[in-house]
Amino acid sequence: MVENYKCVIDYDLCMTPKRSTTKGGQRDASQPSTTTSRRRFLLSSGVAGTAAALGGCLGGITGSDDGTLTVGYVLPFSGTYSLLGESIVNGFELFLDQNDGQIAGREVETVQSDTEADTDRGVSVTRQMLVDEGADVLVGPVSSAVAIAMMQTVENEASAIWLNANAGDYRVVKEGCLKYHFRTSFNDWQTSAPLAPWVYDNVADNVVLAYADYAFGQNSKNFFAEAFEEAGGEVVGEVGVPLGSDDYSPYLGEIEDSGADAVFSFFAGSDAVNYVSQFSDFGLDDKMTQTGSGFLLSEDTLPAQGEAALGKYSILHYTPTKQNDRNQEFVENYMSEHDSRPNVYAVQGYDSAQAFNAAVDDVDGTDPDDLADSLSGMEIDSPRGSFQFHPETNDPIQDMDIRQVVESDGEVPVENEVVETLERPELPTWGCSL
Amino acid sequence: MVDATTLIRATLLGLQLGMTLALVAAGLTLIFGMLDVINFAHGALYMLGAYFGVTVATELGSFWLALVIAPLLVAVVGGAIEILSLRPLYGRNPLYHILLTFGIAIMTQGLVVEIWGAQSLRIQVPDALSGTLTYGSLSYPVYWMFVLAVSTVLIGAIWLAISRSDIGIIIRASAHDTEMVDALGFDVSRVFTGVVVFGAALAGVAGVLLGASRSVNPGMGFGVIIQAFVIVVIGGLGSFRGAVFSALLIGLVTAYGALIAPSLTDLFMFALMAVVLIIKPSGLFGATEAA
């Protein structure tokens, strides 16, 4: 309910799309006076939900006829997920800055409008980007609920390629299985299941599951449980915690009482900070080993978790401390523009730009069907290690890092160290075969 | 299923939640009682306490200094809000104050994101208070006991001050009949500023205390203000006694609720409010004539 409250507050602030055109590496934020009235128009049509009908005659105004590529960010810039949205944009624009503001030799116009974490807003922003702005590519969203709500619109319009720079719910593939949808991020099977056999071999043969009680958390613990039992282990209990809880004391009690030797957890953002630090405050570190999906212990939570995170294991597709030339170069470039180390979301944004660049370059055009054909099965040389779009599901086939939190001698107190890299675990396709 | 250890742990959590919420709700209810202002910005003051606490604790390296300095800084902010923005609007339609303080809350949230960023932060617990107390099968963090103790002592001290001291008498009298107090020769406008400053400082203390056991993030202000409002409504608008009593009630309901049905704890809280409002519309300790 707190979430709804915020939506009311931010609603008016985020209805106006922001645009910026990059020319020769210089970002030109000045807006031609003609767009002002049009923007106001967008605002009213978006609210009335008639954008699709009215947008057709507006599409010609900007469109992409002059060869300029239009990138539509379908991302949250306010509320709980604002950090993720900004990081994705930072990653995408790092690529632009490195390439004179161009993609495949063409000028780029980026348009953004805040989706918050709201599915209705997500759909209306999607429609706005596709119909009114004539976007050639959609980048986003962060929330899986928004992604699932967007599927119908993207399929109906069939006018742009969709680079999903975060939303990892497997149902986007299982229920959507869209030709235009390419995940530059991960799916929730990847950030849970491959960890299970490793935990069984290296940590414990019994676990308790603790998860944020919403779709993504439930998927993660189900995938982990299935893989753990398949490996021969036993799941002795599970504890669901409402999203956005402040105090984990009652749930930590249940986790402790389960008597398990290890716990697998899915929490993210401030939930992860609360859970991990309270897990340590309650002395559970002495009783069981903490393992989890990588969002539990990532760049955006570790500074706040501090020493409470030490020794804990997690799995993710990107680790900033990873020692390879491609990554070290990326980290240096990113840190020269931003004060912090790149997080996983920034890499997902950067790789979205890389993928779009490669595809437009390959087909020398922006026809979404050609772009989709080009992207299918394509290899991307990412800072995370190279990955390939699955020829049947368009999900990324990628290496997964198992990491442990260790003390750091750098500016941050603790950081992840890669313990083992699992080479391209074989992905389920959930009946999708494109 | 629910054994004694679980019950004791839930009770401790409930009391701790109640006492820290009382720190926030006390300011809210006193400000309403005296100024007739529904201060939506009170959650923002709580949040500022936590963020100031993070900065002081990191820069000066001391949790203890943070616990003293951060609330003072929040008090200054509270004073500035009262003098610069609330004061010119006294006597007007209450809607002005609601819009004003709501605006301040949103602006503060925006500023916090600009200054500290959107990611979660936390105040590091001092070494002296880290660790776990263990008694039989019950283990509980030392720091959480400290939070419970400090907030209980503070609330107790305020209770005494309000019911026994001269200032307390003026505060209670002003809450009851501002014009009469004014007529008797007291400078009510100074009392008004004082109450806002004091309420802000209390919210700041709560922010620092909880900023070391929970994550500090830009959404925390709106999260706490809803609970604080429910508490003030149940306790009776303007009643300090009512705020403390219903804060404990809400704290315990939240803690026990998490044992029974985690996803329904918010519902329990609002159901409780609805029941109280139906039976006693002015709240448990509300003065009926004020309604």
Side-chain angles (χ1 to χ4, degrees):
Chain A
M1 81 139 290
V2 175
E3 199 56 50
N4 294 338
Y5 200 62
K6 274 187 227 150
C7 294
V8 175
I9 296 161
D10 294 330
Y11 198 76
D12 286 334
L13 299 174
C14 48
M15 284 307 290
T16 317
K18 288 182 200 153
R19 48 179 61 241
S20 68
T21 315
T22 50
K23 280 180 185 138
Q26 292 286 316
R27 188 160 301 121
D28 179 12
S30 68
Q31 296 163 352
S33 55
T34 49
T35 52
T36 317
S37 59
R38 206 173 122 261
R39 268 181 23 221
R40 205 171 294 137
F41 179 76
L42 275 179
L43 189 144
S44 54
S45 65
V47 170
T50 54
L54 294 163
C57 49
L58 282 167
I61 297 176
T62 46
S64 48
D65 313 76
D66 57 350
T68 300
L69 300 171
T70 305
V71 176
Y73 293 129
V74 184
L75 292 169
F77 296 101
S78 64
T80 326
Y81 294 134
S82 60
L83 177 78
L84 283 64
E86 279 157 25
S87 300
I88 290 170
V89 170
N90 287 346
F92 198 96
E93 303 204 332
L94 176 65
F95 181 88
L96 288 180
D97 289 342
Q98 289 172 342
N99 293 278
D100 300 325
Q102 294 183 331
I103 279 191
R106 298 166 191 235
E107 297 297 333
V108 175
E109 185 189 37
T110 60
V111 191
Q112 67 181 58
S113 187
D114 191 351
T115 61
E116 299 152 27
D118 184 70
T119 51
D120 292 339
R121 286 277 310 136
V123 172
S124 84
V125 169
T126 303
R127 192 165 286 150
Q128 181 182 324
M129 292 299 169
L130 293 176
V131 179
D132 305 336
E133 302 291 344
D136 299 301
V137 61
L138 298 177
V139 177
V142 161
S143 149
S144 286
V146 172
I148 288 169
M150 281 168 65
M151 294 190 305
Q152 195 65 51
T153 309
V154 173
E155 189 172 22
N156 290 352
E157 294 298 328
S159 64
I161 210 78
W162 174 13
L163 297 176
N164 179 345
N166 191 61
D169 196 311
Y170 75 104
R171 289 172 300 173
V172 179
V173 163
K174 186 178 183 226
E175 286 157 25
C177 192
L178 292 185
K179 183 183 182 187
Y180 306 112
H181 171 263
F182 289 83
R183 253 198 279 244
T184 52
S185 46
F186 65 96
N187 63 42
D188 43 16
W189 182 90
Q190 290 177 314
T191 53
S192 52
L195 180 66
W198 189 88
V199 169
Y200 180 76
D201 290 340
N202 298 283
V203 180
D205 61 4
N206 64 90
V207 294
V208 58
L209 310 167
Y211 57 97
D213 202 357
Y214 71 119
F216 205 96
Q218 290 158 2
N219 294 348
S220 300
K221 64 106 184 169
N222 287 337
F223 284 134
F224 183 91
E226 198 181 313
F228 194 72
E229 279 165 354
E230 201 171 295
E234 188 194 357
V235 175
V236 297
E238 57 173 75
V239 182
V241 183
L243 198 58
S245 292
D246 288 318
D247 301 295
Y248 286 75
S249 153
Y251 314 108
L252 292 169
E254 280 186 61
I255 292 169
E256 187 180 345
D257 293 344
S258 75
D261 293 323
V263 49
F264 170 83
S265 309
F266 177 89
F267 295 102
S270 65
D271 284 356
V273 172
N274 285 329
Y275 171 75
V276 168
S277 45
Q278 292 174 19
F279 186 90
S280 175
D281 286 346
F282 273 83
L284 265 64
D285 281 329
D286 303 333
K287 291 166 185 153
M288 51 178 70
T289 308
Q290 177 70 58
T291 72
S293 157
F295 305 101
L296 186 70
L297 304 151
S298 58
E299 290 309 298
D300 58 322
T301 63
L302 284 176
Q305 291 162 336
E307 288 178 7
L310 283 176
K312 299 185 165 65
Y313 296 98
S314 64
I315 183 169
L316 204 63
H317 50 291
Y318 178 67
T319 312
T321 54
K322 207 165 181 177
Q323 304 292 322
N324 66 53
D325 294 346
R326 182 80 181 90
N327 181 46
Q328 280 167 346
E329 183 201 338
F330 172 77
V331 172
E332 260 171 49
N333 288 333
Y334 189 91
M335 287 183 72
S336 69
E337 297 213 9
H338 307 279
D339 293 335
S340 59
R341 270 199 224 176
N343 54 30
V344 64
Y345 315 109
V347 175
Q348 291 165 179
Y350 185 80
D351 288 341
S352 302
Q354 289 208 87
F356 188 49
N357 181 69
V360 174
D361 200 38
D362 183 33
V363 305
D364 193 25
T366 57
D367 181 79
D369 292 289
D370 293 348
L371 290 176
D373 289 341
S374 168
L375 283 168
S376 177
M378 184 188 273
E379 280 277 341
I380 304 287
D381 181 22
S382 163
R384 68 184 92 167
S386 80
F387 70 88
Q388 185 195 10
F389 289 117
H390 196 292
E392 296 195 89
T393 64
N394 297 343
D395 265 350
I397 306 172
Q398 58 192 342
D399 293 349
M400 299 301 299
D401 296 329
I402 295 187
R403 314 94 54 89
Q404 184 176 28
V405 180
V406 294
E407 284 186 35
S408 157
D409 42 8
E411 282 176 30
V412 285
V414 296
E415 64 184 17
N416 275 308
E417 187 179 76
V418 176
V419 180
E420 192 178 331
T421 297
L422 308 176
E423 278 183 32
R424 301 198 168 188
E426 198 181 326
L427 282 175
T429 56
W430 297 291
C432 176
S433 76
L434 288 164
Chain B
M1 177 71 202
V2 178
D3 55 33
T5 314
T6 313
L7 215 58
I8 294 170
R9 191 157 40 195
T11 309
L12 283 172
L13 174 70
L15 293 174
Q16 188 234 66
L17 275 176
M19 280 305 175
T20 45
L21 280 170
L23 288 175
V24 180
L28 197 64
T29 202
L30 286 178
I31 290 172
F32 179 81
M34 292 198 58
L35 282 61
D36 276 341
V37 168
I38 296 177
N39 184 20
F40 267 103
H42 216 67
L45 294 170
Y46 159 79
M47 173 172 68
L48 279 180
Y51 274 99
F52 288 151
V54 168
T55 301
V56 174
T58 338
E59 296 300 319
L60 303 180
S62 162
F63 168 81
W64 304 103
L65 283 176
L67 191 55
V68 176
I69 295 174
L72 291 178
L73 292 174
V74 179
V76 171
V77 174
I81 289 175
E82 199 275 336
I83 293 169
L84 299 176
S85 69
L86 288 177
R87 188 173 286 179
L89 298 179
Y90 287 139
R92 297 215 193 177
N93 188 324
L95 192 60
Y96 283 89
H97 289 122
I98 293 178
L99 290 174
L100 175 77
T101 54
F102 200 60
I104 292 173
I106 295 171
M107 280 164 57
T108 311
Q109 193 186 25
L111 275 175
V112 161
V113 174
E114 283 301 313
I115 298 170
W116 284 280
Q119 70 176 355
S120 297
L121 306 171
R122 197 165 62 100
I123 301 171
Q124 293 298 325
V125 173
D127 289 341
L129 297 176
S130 64
T132 315
L133 285 174
T134 310
Y135 184 81
S137 62
L138 175 72
S139 52
Y140 207 74
V142 177
Y143 181 76
W144 291 40
M145 294 300 286
F146 169 79
V147 171
L148 175 57
V150 170
S151 47
T152 307
V153 167
L154 263 178
I155 288 293
I158 299 164
W159 192 309
L160 273 182
I162 287 184
S163 57
R164 298 285 165 82
S165 75
D166 291 349
I167 297 173
I169 292 171
I170 297 171
I171 289 179
R172 275 182 297 150
S174 308
H176 220 70
D177 191 338
T178 315
E179 279 172 29
M180 184 55 79
V181 175
D182 202 22
L184 287 172
F186 291 98
D187 186 349
V188 176
S189 75
R190 275 177 57 194
V191 180
F192 279 9
T193 313
V195 164
V196 176
V197 165
F198 183 62
L202 287 181
V205 171
V208 179
L209 285 176
L210 290 181
S213 67
R214 294 175 174 180
S215 83
V216 176
N217 62 71
M220 64 191 287
F222 285 108
V224 82
I225 194 76
I226 293 170
Q227 280 181 309
F229 268 123
V230 171
I231 287 165
V232 170
V233 169
I234 291 178
L237 284 162
S239 163
F240 175 77
R241 218 159 36 120
V244 175
F245 182 81
S246 70
L248 282 173
L249 198 62
I250 291 294
L252 289 169
V253 163
T254 309
Y256 293 138
L259 293 180
I260 304 161
S263 54
L264 298 180
T265 45
D266 273 357
L267 185 74
F268 290 148
M269 181 172 81
F270 290 113
L272 189 65
M273 180 169 79
V275 169
V276 169
L277 285 181
I278 290 168
I279 297 171
K280 201 163 182 298
S282 58
L284 294 178
F285 292 82
T288 27
E289 70 270 19

